[in-house]
Amino acid sequence: MSEMEAVRTLAPARILGIESSCDETAAAVIENGRMQLSSVVASQVDLHKKYGGVFPEVASRQHVQAIYAVVEQALQQAHISLGDVDAIAVTRGPGLAGSLVVGMNAAKGMALAAGLPIIGVNHLEGHIYSAWVYRAETLTPPIEPHFPLLALLVSGGHTELNLMTDHITYKRLGATLDDAAGEAFDKVARLLGLSYPGGPAIQYAAEKGNPTAFNFPRAKLDGTWNFSFSGLKTAVMRVVRKYEEDKLPLPVSDLAASFQAAVVDVLLAKTLKAAHTFKAQEILLAGGVSANTALREAFTNQKDYKVHIPDLAVCTDNAVMIASAGYYRFVLGHQDPMDMDVLPTWPLA
Ligand code: KG4
Ligand code: ZN
């Protein structure tokens, strides 16, 4: 029996998810892997803004303050108590060690108190499963993804192509050799004097710009499934320097639009090529950068593959996705021991 068939034959389960890998403290409850009963995200973004990025020590202490209130709220929103939960799923890695530990220890404490099994989830796996999630009030749930599935994961820390042949089964085809796509957005935003986090700031600036104003490089790295965004970032930097030297006002919108177009082109071209090469049936786009409108449109407008993209609300870090991935692990018989450690550099595959 395949993992897919196994999932179909299993009983319903309610999972409490906990996420604290970076700068969001999040908890959520999901039923049957897909139906979101609640989702609470306490963002620290305003705290980190003044550093222009996430300050690890500030992040972990903020998680300590927020975690129990966030979990309590997630249970309340779902109108259940801990006793109504079948298992607790928690992000085990990758992420900031000090931040991961806070979620892990909270999850262990609750699992111990309520006699529940605990499941460590890879944060990247969580992002992928965000495409399975729908809100409880949705009348017609979106069709679930089918395997073999080509998953493009684009976040602040990772950019990689994975082939999924079944539930929780991944083959990593390639990844970024330098900056992650989200990191490139954040760094270019800083170059353009835009605020942190850079992704949304670039997207808004790009709306008023011309995507063909600058012909930025598109590193396709033919013959591999890897990506590279540092050359693109350097190309933007050179233009910015030139404008500064010439004391000319920076065409921020045109630069943002041209940079964004280069990123979107590369991501779409490589994903389509990989889907074709590995005979994938469908495509999945996930991770914080999948919130980008231009990227969503480019993937949606291609005609070759059905594409699954998470709802905007679950593109960036959240706990619904961790609960969803945790559900599929749980019903397939995975559980972790109480002495499991966090894995700050845990690869998905
Ligand atoms: O998945 P995520 O919330 O955290 C990580 O796991 O890294 O991704 C955060 C990244 C940031 O780099 C942020 O700039 C980017 O996602 N991002 C976007 C957009 N919204 C968030 N990038 C481009 N366009 C957006 N609308
Ligand atoms: Zn993430």
PDB file of all heavy atoms in Angstrom, residues 19 21-22 24 94 123-124 126-127 153-158 287-288 315-318 321-322, ligand 2:
ATOM      1  N   GLU A  19       4.956  26.306  15.957  1.00  0.00           N
ATOM      2  CA  GLU A  19       6.061  26.755  15.100  1.00  0.00           C
ATOM      3  C   GLU A  19       6.781  27.927  15.766  1.00  0.00           C
ATOM      4  O   GLU A  19       6.141  28.898  16.179  1.00  0.00           O
ATOM      5  CB  GLU A  19       5.475  27.172  13.737  1.00  0.00           C
ATOM      6  CG  GLU A  19       6.250  28.213  12.936  1.00  0.00           C
ATOM      7  CD  GLU A  19       7.610  27.765  12.429  1.00  0.00           C
ATOM      8  OE1 GLU A  19       7.775  26.582  12.065  1.00  0.00           O
ATOM      9  OE2 GLU A  19       8.530  28.610  12.416  1.00  0.00           O
ATOM     10  N   SER A  21      10.431  28.633  14.579  1.00  0.00           N
ATOM     11  CA  SER A  21      11.783  28.468  14.028  1.00  0.00           C
ATOM     12  C   SER A  21      12.504  29.774  13.763  1.00  0.00           C
ATOM     13  O   SER A  21      13.719  29.813  13.691  1.00  0.00           O
ATOM     14  CB  SER A  21      11.732  27.644  12.744  1.00  0.00           C
ATOM     15  OG  SER A  21      11.060  28.361  11.731  1.00  0.00           O
ATOM     16  N   CYS A  22      11.737  30.856  13.595  1.00  0.00           N
ATOM     17  CA  CYS A  22      12.389  32.118  13.238  1.00  0.00           C
ATOM     18  C   CYS A  22      11.795  33.271  14.049  1.00  0.00           C
ATOM     19  O   CYS A  22      12.001  33.334  15.255  1.00  0.00           O
ATOM     20  CB  CYS A  22      12.273  32.323  11.742  1.00  0.00           C
ATOM     21  SG  CYS A  22      13.312  33.643  11.127  1.00  0.00           S
ATOM     22  N   GLU A  24       8.360  34.193  14.068  1.00  0.00           N
ATOM     23  CA  GLU A  24       6.921  34.135  14.326  1.00  0.00           C
ATOM     24  C   GLU A  24       6.674  33.041  15.371  1.00  0.00           C
ATOM     25  O   GLU A  24       7.163  31.929  15.224  1.00  0.00           O
ATOM     26  CB  GLU A  24       6.104  33.738  13.074  1.00  0.00           C
ATOM     27  CG  GLU A  24       6.637  34.244  11.754  1.00  0.00           C
ATOM     28  CD  GLU A  24       6.229  35.665  11.443  1.00  0.00           C
ATOM     29  OE1 GLU A  24       5.572  36.300  12.301  1.00  0.00           O
ATOM     30  OE2 GLU A  24       6.594  36.150  10.362  1.00  0.00           O
ATOM     31  N   PRO A  94      14.619  23.147   9.972  1.00  0.00           N
ATOM     32  CA  PRO A  94      15.750  24.013  10.285  1.00  0.00           C
ATOM     33  C   PRO A  94      15.269  25.359  10.818  1.00  0.00           C
ATOM     34  O   PRO A  94      14.110  25.713  10.640  1.00  0.00           O
ATOM     35  CB  PRO A  94      16.442  24.167   8.921  1.00  0.00           C
ATOM     36  CG  PRO A  94      15.351  23.979   7.909  1.00  0.00           C
ATOM     37  CD  PRO A  94      14.371  23.033   8.517  1.00  0.00           C
ATOM     38  N   HIS A 123      10.526  22.161   8.969  1.00  0.00           N
ATOM     39  CA  HIS A 123       9.866  23.421   8.599  1.00  0.00           C
ATOM     40  C   HIS A 123       9.584  23.498   7.083  1.00  0.00           C
ATOM     41  O   HIS A 123       8.542  24.018   6.664  1.00  0.00           O
ATOM     42  CB  HIS A 123      10.768  24.582   9.038  1.00  0.00           C
ATOM     43  CG  HIS A 123      10.219  25.933   8.764  1.00  0.00           C
ATOM     44  ND1 HIS A 123       9.283  26.540   9.564  1.00  0.00           N
ATOM     45  CD2 HIS A 123      10.454  26.807   7.750  1.00  0.00           C
ATOM     46  CE1 HIS A 123       8.977  27.731   9.065  1.00  0.00           C
ATOM     47  NE2 HIS A 123       9.677  27.922   7.958  1.00  0.00           N
ATOM     48  N   LEU A 124      10.487  22.961   6.282  1.00  0.00           N
ATOM     49  CA  LEU A 124      10.312  23.001   4.824  1.00  0.00           C
ATOM     50  C   LEU A 124       9.168  22.080   4.403  1.00  0.00           C
ATOM     51  O   LEU A 124       8.386  22.388   3.496  1.00  0.00           O
ATOM     52  CB  LEU A 124      11.603  22.595   4.104  1.00  0.00           C
ATOM     53  CG  LEU A 124      12.870  23.305   4.577  1.00  0.00           C
ATOM     54  CD1 LEU A 124      14.070  22.846   3.758  1.00  0.00           C
ATOM     55  CD2 LEU A 124      12.713  24.809   4.455  1.00  0.00           C
ATOM     56  N   GLY A 126       6.685  21.506   6.277  1.00  0.00           N
ATOM     57  CA  GLY A 126       5.517  22.299   6.665  1.00  0.00           C
ATOM     58  C   GLY A 126       5.112  23.232   5.536  1.00  0.00           C
ATOM     59  O   GLY A 126       3.946  23.248   5.119  1.00  0.00           O
ATOM     60  N   HIS A 127       6.067  23.989   5.011  1.00  0.00           N
ATOM     61  CA  HIS A 127       5.728  24.913   3.907  1.00  0.00           C
ATOM     62  C   HIS A 127       5.052  24.160   2.762  1.00  0.00           C
ATOM     63  O   HIS A 127       4.078  24.628   2.187  1.00  0.00           O
ATOM     64  CB  HIS A 127       6.975  25.630   3.404  1.00  0.00           C
ATOM     65  CG  HIS A 127       7.295  26.874   4.179  1.00  0.00           C
ATOM     66  ND1 HIS A 127       6.416  27.929   4.268  1.00  0.00           N
ATOM     67  CD2 HIS A 127       8.391  27.231   4.906  1.00  0.00           C
ATOM     68  CE1 HIS A 127       6.957  28.893   5.013  1.00  0.00           C
ATOM     69  NE2 HIS A 127       8.147  28.482   5.424  1.00  0.00           N
ATOM     70  N   LEU A 153      10.158  25.232  -3.366  1.00  0.00           N
ATOM     71  CA  LEU A 153      10.076  25.870  -2.062  1.00  0.00           C
ATOM     72  C   LEU A 153      10.937  27.131  -2.069  1.00  0.00           C
ATOM     73  O   LEU A 153      12.139  27.052  -2.316  1.00  0.00           O
ATOM     74  CB  LEU A 153      10.612  24.886  -1.027  1.00  0.00           C
ATOM     75  CG  LEU A 153      10.423  25.413   0.352  1.00  0.00           C
ATOM     76  CD1 LEU A 153       9.130  24.872   0.886  1.00  0.00           C
ATOM     77  CD2 LEU A 153      11.569  25.048   1.211  1.00  0.00           C
ATOM     78  N   VAL A 154      10.286  28.272  -1.872  1.00  0.00           N
ATOM     79  CA  VAL A 154      11.014  29.545  -1.916  1.00  0.00           C
ATOM     80  C   VAL A 154      10.727  30.336  -0.639  1.00  0.00           C
ATOM     81  O   VAL A 154       9.653  30.888  -0.472  1.00  0.00           O
ATOM     82  CB  VAL A 154      10.623  30.387  -3.153  1.00  0.00           C
ATOM     83  CG1 VAL A 154      11.480  30.040  -4.345  1.00  0.00           C
ATOM     84  CG2 VAL A 154       9.150  30.247  -3.519  1.00  0.00           C
ATOM     85  N   SER A 155      11.706  30.365   0.267  1.00  0.00           N
ATOM     86  CA  SER A 155      11.493  31.079   1.532  1.00  0.00           C
ATOM     87  C   SER A 155      12.670  32.013   1.780  1.00  0.00           C
ATOM     88  O   SER A 155      13.511  32.233   0.907  1.00  0.00           O
ATOM     89  CB  SER A 155      11.320  30.078   2.665  1.00  0.00           C
ATOM     90  OG  SER A 155      12.545  29.448   2.925  1.00  0.00           O
ATOM     91  N   GLY A 156      12.708  32.548   3.002  1.00  0.00           N
ATOM     92  CA  GLY A 156      13.794  33.453   3.340  1.00  0.00           C
ATOM     93  C   GLY A 156      15.110  32.714   3.529  1.00  0.00           C
ATOM     94  O   GLY A 156      16.181  33.265   3.307  1.00  0.00           O
ATOM     95  N   GLY A 157      15.040  31.473   3.926  1.00  0.00           N
ATOM     96  CA  GLY A 157      16.256  30.712   4.194  1.00  0.00           C
ATOM     97  C   GLY A 157      16.559  29.635   3.172  1.00  0.00           C
ATOM     98  O   GLY A 157      17.676  29.123   3.121  1.00  0.00           O
ATOM     99  N   HIS A 158      15.575  29.271   2.348  1.00  0.00           N
ATOM    100  CA  HIS A 158      15.755  28.136   1.429  1.00  0.00           C
ATOM    101  C   HIS A 158      15.134  28.396   0.064  1.00  0.00           C
ATOM    102  O   HIS A 158      14.132  29.098  -0.035  1.00  0.00           O
ATOM    103  CB  HIS A 158      15.134  26.864   2.020  1.00  0.00           C
ATOM    104  CG  HIS A 158      15.810  26.427   3.272  1.00  0.00           C
ATOM    105  ND1 HIS A 158      15.497  26.982   4.497  1.00  0.00           N
ATOM    106  CD2 HIS A 158      16.814  25.549   3.486  1.00  0.00           C
ATOM    107  CE1 HIS A 158      16.286  26.444   5.415  1.00  0.00           C
ATOM    108  NE2 HIS A 158      17.091  25.570   4.836  1.00  0.00           N
ATOM    109  N   GLY A 287       6.298  28.437   0.451  1.00  0.00           N
ATOM    110  CA  GLY A 287       7.316  29.229   1.142  1.00  0.00           C
ATOM    111  C   GLY A 287       6.943  30.700   1.098  1.00  0.00           C
ATOM    112  O   GLY A 287       6.102  31.109   0.291  1.00  0.00           O
ATOM    113  N   GLY A 288       7.569  31.500   1.942  1.00  0.00           N
ATOM    114  CA  GLY A 288       7.216  32.916   2.070  1.00  0.00           C
ATOM    115  C   GLY A 288       7.142  33.668   0.748  1.00  0.00           C
ATOM    116  O   GLY A 288       6.251  34.499   0.546  1.00  0.00           O
ATOM    117  N   CYS A 315       1.249  31.373   3.460  1.00  0.00           N
ATOM    118  CA  CYS A 315       2.510  31.347   2.696  1.00  0.00           C
ATOM    119  C   CYS A 315       3.703  31.588   3.604  1.00  0.00           C
ATOM    120  O   CYS A 315       4.686  30.861   3.564  1.00  0.00           O
ATOM    121  CB  CYS A 315       2.489  32.417   1.607  1.00  0.00           C
ATOM    122  SG  CYS A 315       1.452  31.982   0.206  1.00  0.00           S
ATOM    123  N   THR A 316       3.619  32.643   4.425  1.00  0.00           N
ATOM    124  CA  THR A 316       4.727  32.911   5.341  1.00  0.00           C
ATOM    125  C   THR A 316       4.539  32.040   6.591  1.00  0.00           C
ATOM    126  O   THR A 316       3.532  31.343   6.730  1.00  0.00           O
ATOM    127  CB  THR A 316       4.791  34.407   5.704  1.00  0.00           C
ATOM    128  OG1 THR A 316       3.488  34.837   6.048  1.00  0.00           O
ATOM    129  CG2 THR A 316       5.283  35.236   4.527  1.00  0.00           C
ATOM    130  N   ASP A 317       5.520  32.097   7.494  1.00  0.00           N
ATOM    131  CA  ASP A 317       5.556  31.136   8.600  1.00  0.00           C
ATOM    132  C   ASP A 317       4.268  31.114   9.427  1.00  0.00           C
ATOM    133  O   ASP A 317       3.728  32.149   9.789  1.00  0.00           O
ATOM    134  CB  ASP A 317       6.761  31.429   9.494  1.00  0.00           C
ATOM    135  CG  ASP A 317       8.055  31.061   8.781  1.00  0.00           C
ATOM    136  OD1 ASP A 317       7.983  30.433   7.701  1.00  0.00           O
ATOM    137  OD2 ASP A 317       9.130  31.398   9.301  1.00  0.00           O
ATOM    138  N   ASN A 318       3.822  29.908   9.715  1.00  0.00           N
ATOM    139  CA  ASN A 318       2.588  29.700  10.481  1.00  0.00           C
ATOM    140  C   ASN A 318       2.643  28.289  11.066  1.00  0.00           C
ATOM    141  O   ASN A 318       3.567  27.526  10.756  1.00  0.00           O
ATOM    142  CB  ASN A 318       1.377  29.856   9.550  1.00  0.00           C
ATOM    143  CG  ASN A 318       1.345  28.797   8.479  1.00  0.00           C
ATOM    144  OD1 ASN A 318       0.873  27.692   8.708  1.00  0.00           O
ATOM    145  ND2 ASN A 318       1.884  29.078   7.297  1.00  0.00           N
ATOM    146  N   MET A 321       0.592  24.820   8.784  1.00  0.00           N
ATOM    147  CA  MET A 321       1.368  23.959   7.882  1.00  0.00           C
ATOM    148  C   MET A 321       2.129  22.877   8.661  1.00  0.00           C
ATOM    149  O   MET A 321       2.286  21.758   8.184  1.00  0.00           O
ATOM    150  CB  MET A 321       2.337  24.826   7.055  1.00  0.00           C
ATOM    151  CG  MET A 321       3.405  25.535   7.858  1.00  0.00           C
ATOM    152  SD  MET A 321       4.366  26.655   6.796  1.00  0.00           S
ATOM    153  CE  MET A 321       5.880  26.806   7.779  1.00  0.00           C
ATOM    154  N   ILE A 322       2.562  23.219   9.871  1.00  0.00           N
ATOM    155  CA  ILE A 322       3.288  22.242  10.698  1.00  0.00           C
ATOM    156  C   ILE A 322       2.298  21.168  11.176  1.00  0.00           C
ATOM    157  O   ILE A 322       2.604  19.968  11.166  1.00  0.00           O
ATOM    158  CB  ILE A 322       3.954  22.947  11.911  1.00  0.00           C
ATOM    159  CG1 ILE A 322       4.904  24.058  11.436  1.00  0.00           C
ATOM    160  CG2 ILE A 322       4.658  21.945  12.832  1.00  0.00           C
ATOM    161  CD1 ILE A 322       6.016  23.611  10.500  1.00  0.00           C
TER     162      ILE A 322
HETATM  163 ZN    ZN B   2       9.376  29.459   6.627  1.00  0.00          ZN
END
